[in-house]
Amino acid sequence: MEAILILLFVIGYLSITLEHPLKLDKTVPALLMAALMWALLSIGFHKGWFSVIDGYGTIFNINVGDVHQQEHGFEGLLLHHVGKVAEILVFLIGAMTIVELIDLHRGFDVLKDMVKTRSKIKLLWITGVVGFLLSAVIDNLTATIVLISLLRKLIQNREERIWYASLIVIATNAGGAWSPIGDVTTTMLWIAKKVSAGGLSEYIIIPAIICFIVPYALASRMKIFKGQIEIDEKSHEERERLLSSKTMLWLGLGAIVFVPIFKTLTHLPPYVGMMLSLAVVWMVSEYIHPEDNFDKSRKHLYSANKALSRIEISSILFFLGILMAVAALESLVFGSINGQEVGTLRYAAESISNAIPSMDVVIILLGALSAVIDNVPLVAASMGMYTFEIDHPIWHFIAYSAGTGGSMLIIGSAAGVAAMGMEKIDFIWYLKKITWLAFAGFIAGALTFLFIEHYIR
């Protein structure tokens, strides 16, 4: 039965990675996988076929001790995992809603209007730096979408624009890796108390900067980025600025940045701070006047209800499915280590450590693997595999590798997939032109992290 549970996970995982060939949204196999795995886990537990283990190492088996107590233990295990997943989902929904509110009020147009240069090389570095910093605040996916929208306004030649868009993917993934709110995987590690906001930023920011600078320095020497941008004035149309644009931009960004501060001050989980931030931004959006002679009949165009309708619920449900599937694997007792029974993921971690003694090599391989398959389940699995204390260097290295490794393929990160969809970037073109740049940045940052860890820290 254990083999069937693991097989379900493998089939579901493959279905997620083959989303485009199968023409099936990855949310479907994720939800199917989670539901079927927990159904099988429950049936097997109540039939006495196998045991389950909670996060404290307590083993529950229906054949041992009081039946009702064991059943209660299984229910508590399920509720524990649902609660942990819900923390992440509530946090993401709050952050997505704030970002959509900013966008409804055209707040990101303020950033677009700041770029005045026509120099290709200056534009490359401006968009890169903005992407690196912005992704740390509003996450790498949203930062990529904002900057590609900016590029469409500035560069009419698509062949030139896809170079900028591809390098923005590298910059935003690097920027998201050092912030607890910059990437889904860092948010997961932060909420699970594997890393602290301060520790994550302190130990990853330098490797992340190197990961960003190296590809950009190499790209700066390429012919495509020489000369001036040609702007077609006829197609250069300005959207009408709103009275609320600046207010909503700085309020929204400030509200998101406030979340780690709130957690530090109150010691409450991050989703509570995000709820507070969302409430404040929502309240302001209800009273602010976006236009001159603002008519209440147009209020719905700028409302939080409209923002909520624009967030990607399919992404939220995907995270629900994949995280609950990984939780099922983590809960299944698979074997014993030094006479102590452990879950499937912990057993796998020990097996990998025996095969590859160097954890540094294992995590670099994890980063490379995140370019091929989704980094969310990889990080979720690692959280169940290892039991290191908060802010252990291993957690920081996992955050860096999973966050930046996805840049090596256009399908390896949410930011890459967004860029691919918006600019129709060809997979093979990216592989030939950009992968080596992303790889150079990833390895340079990884070596920087290891140097700091082993010789400076």
Side-chain angles (χ1 to χ4, degrees):
M1 290 300 293
E2 289 91 343
I4 296 175
L5 194 78
I6 295 171
L7 182 63
L8 275 174
F9 183 80
V10 171
I11 293 172
Y13 208 115
L14 287 174
S15 300
I16 290 169
T17 60
L18 297 173
E19 175 186 16
H20 296 292
L22 292 175
K23 294 181 173 59
L24 180 67
D25 191 296
K26 63 184 179 181
T27 304
V28 177
L31 292 174
L32 277 172
M33 174 173 60
L36 291 175
M37 287 178 70
W38 275 101
L40 185 60
L41 193 65
S42 179
I43 292 170
F45 173 79
H46 286 92
K47 293 289 186 182
W49 295 335
F50 42 65
S51 306
V52 295
I53 183 171
D54 66 11
Y56 303 100
T58 305
I59 307 293
F60 298 100
N61 188 301
I62 203 75
N63 297 322
V64 179
D66 182 70
V67 172
H68 295 293
Q69 186 177 359
Q70 298 300 313
E71 287 182 339
H72 183 70
F74 182 87
E75 291 172 1
L77 174 67
L78 177 58
L79 286 173
H80 169 77
H81 285 299
V82 169
K84 288 298 178 184
V85 171
E87 286 188 18
I88 297 173
L89 301 189
V90 170
F91 181 94
L92 291 175
I93 290 171
M96 287 178 174
T97 307
I98 291 175
V99 168
E100 289 297 341
L101 272 170
I102 296 173
D103 194 46
L104 281 176
H105 289 262
R106 302 178 193 171
F108 294 119
D109 284 4
V110 176
L111 298 178
K112 295 176 186 177
D113 293 340
M114 291 180 180
V115 181
K116 303 295 184 182
T117 184
R118 290 194 179 188
S119 166
K120 288 184 178 180
I121 194 71
K122 285 184 180 178
L123 180 63
L124 174 69
W125 282 97
I126 288 171
T127 54
V129 171
V130 171
F132 182 84
L133 297 175
L134 194 61
S135 63
V137 181
I138 63 171
D139 80 58
N140 46 14
L141 172 60
T142 307
T144 300
I145 294 170
V146 169
L147 286 169
I148 290 178
S149 299
L150 166 62
L151 289 176
R152 285 178 170 176
K153 180 179 176 181
L154 297 173
I155 305 174
Q156 303 305 316
N157 187 325
R158 179 186 169 277
E159 296 304 316
E160 291 182 355
R161 195 167 64 237
I162 61 175
W163 278 92
Y164 286 90
S166 299
L167 281 158
I168 282 172
V169 170
I170 297 175
T172 54
N173 282 337
W178 63 272
S179 165
I181 52 181
D183 187 274
V184 173
T185 53
T186 56
T187 299
M188 288 164 53
L189 290 165
W190 181 45
I191 289 176
K193 297 182 180 178
K194 303 298 184 183
V195 298
S196 66
L200 189 70
S201 301
E202 179 182 356
Y203 294 111
I204 297 183
I205 189 167
I206 294 177
I209 290 173
I210 297 298
C211 180
F212 155 61
I213 287 178
V214 168
Y216 270 70
L218 292 171
S220 297
R221 305 177 66 85
M222 299 171 73
K223 187 177 179 180
I224 190 72
F225 296 111
K226 303 297 182 183
Q228 301 289 311
I229 301 165
E230 295 181 8
I231 297 179
D232 183 357
E233 297 295 343
K234 292 181 180 179
S235 63
H236 186 70
E237 297 180 358
E238 293 285 345
R239 284 207 302 178
E240 182 185 353
R241 287 286 296 275
L242 298 177
L243 299 176
S244 58
S245 296
K246 282 188 178 181
T247 301
M248 292 303 294
L249 172 66
W250 302 122
L251 175 65
L253 296 183
I256 295 174
V257 172
F258 171 73
V259 175
I261 299 172
F262 179 85
K263 181 183 184 300
T264 303
L265 293 174
T266 64
H267 304 288
L268 287 169
Y271 71 91
V272 180
M274 186 57 75
M275 288 166 57
L276 175 60
S277 292
L278 174 59
V280 171
V281 176
W282 190 330
M283 179 176 64
V284 172
S285 73
E286 291 290 312
Y287 292 107
I288 201 167
H289 283 197
E291 306 164 344
D292 287 317
N293 302 317
F294 184 57
D295 189 343
K296 289 186 178 180
S297 64
R298 293 177 55 79
K299 186 176 180 180
H300 68 280
L301 297 175
Y302 307 103
S303 70
N305 289 323
K306 185 173 178 64
L308 282 165
S309 70
R310 290 174 48 166
I311 67 174
E312 292 188 29
I313 294 298
S314 63
S315 296
I316 298 295
L317 292 175
F318 167 72
F319 297 139
L320 170 64
I322 198 69
L323 293 174
M324 286 305 295
V326 170
L329 268 188
E330 183 183 345
S331 302
L332 173 67
V333 173
F334 188 78
S336 60
I337 298 173
N338 299 325
Q340 181 182 2
E341 290 186 302
V342 295
T344 307
L345 297 180
R346 177 74 190 284
Y347 190 84
E350 293 293 335
S351 300
I352 293 171
S353 297
N354 292 332
I356 309 175
S358 172
M359 279 296 297
D360 295 335
V361 174
V362 171
I363 296 170
I364 288 174
L365 290 175
L366 181 146
L369 195 60
S370 71
V372 182
I373 54 181
D374 200 284
N375 58 1
V376 171
L378 284 177
V379 172
S382 70
M383 286 163 57
M385 292 166 71
Y386 305 115
T387 56
F388 301 108
E389 70 276 9
I390 186 172
D391 278 334
H392 189 281
I394 291 298
W395 294 124
H396 294 149
F397 201 20
I398 287 173
Y400 168 81
S401 294
T404 61
S407 301
M408 287 186 278
L409 292 178
I410 190 66
I411 61 169
S413 65
V417 172
M420 185 182 189
M422 292 179 74
E423 290 297 334
K424 303 296 184 288
I425 299 173
D426 182 71
F427 177 88
I428 301 300
W429 180 90
Y430 189 96
L431 184 66
K432 290 179 178 178
K433 306 290 187 180
I434 306 297
T435 293
W436 72 277
L437 292 170
F439 176 76
F442 171 73
I443 288 297
L447 293 176
T448 302
F449 179 92
L450 294 175
F451 177 78
I452 293 172
E453 168 56 29
H454 294 301
Y455 298 104
I456 296 178
R457 190 191 292 194

